[in-house]
Amino acid sequence: MKAVDIMNTPIIAASAKASAREVALYMLLGGFSGVPIADPDGSVIGIVTELDLIRALRANKSLDSTCVTELMSRNVVSVDVDTPIDDIMEIFDVEHILRVPVTKHGKVVGVVSRPDLLRAAVQPQFMRIG
């Protein structure tokens, strides 16, 4: 299996102009632990995670007035749609990350998280209906 087989789609990426509060609300309402930050053309320029938001709060930053570009990790580890899931598992283990954006021709098209890998491992025992 490859990233394309297990990735979550569609996804919403935040623009570089989004506030930390907007991203936090989106994450809370959607049940996400991280959000890619992308240029209008779909190129990933960063990622904001729950931990980034917690660090901002600990530094007494206002989420309302803090732009995501101040918080985001810029060295984003991403994978291509054709990346085998064994390679993704290794990335998660070595890099100690929870999710990776999935790209096609350099543009973000999905996200793979740790639970997606676990779901793929038990998939033979269950069927998705509908």
Side-chain angles (χ1 to χ4, degrees):
M1 277 201 276
K2 298 178 180 180
V4 69
D5 300 316
I6 64 170
M7 68 183 186
N8 288 297
T9 60
I11 61 157
I12 302 292
S15 79
K17 295 178 183 178
S19 72
R21 182 178 190 277
E22 290 172 311
V23 170
L25 287 172
Y26 175 71
M27 288 174 19
L28 290 169
L29 293 173
F32 308 116
S33 60
V35 174
I37 311 303
D39 282 334
D41 71 356
S43 301
V44 177
I45 60 168
I47 195 162
V48 171
T49 67
E50 293 167 326
L51 186 56
D52 296 321
L53 295 167
I54 289 168
R55 287 177 176 153
L57 292 170
R58 288 190 67 219
N60 293 316
K61 291 186 178 187
S62 165
L63 297 185
D64 286 318
S65 61
T66 301
C67 184
V68 291
T69 55
E70 296 176 47
L71 307 178
M72 70 183 189
S73 300
R74 294 178 186 274
N75 298 324
V76 179
V77 176
S78 63
V79 298
D80 185 78
V81 290
D82 291 323
T83 303
I85 62 170
D86 285 344
D87 292 356
I88 299 170
M89 286 189 278
E90 182 177 352
I91 290 168
F92 284 178
D93 189 23
V94 172
E95 299 292 333
H96 305 287
I97 54 178
L98 305 176
R99 78 210 52 80
V100 290
V102 180
T103 61
K104 183 175 183 177
H105 307 300
K107 311 301 183 211
V108 65
V109 294
V111 172
V112 171
S113 64
R114 287 181 180 178
D116 299 322
L117 289 171
L118 293 176
R119 234 183 325 279
V122 298
Q123 186 83 23
Q125 304 302 318
F126 299 91
M127 295 174 283
R128 179 173 286 165
I129 299 174

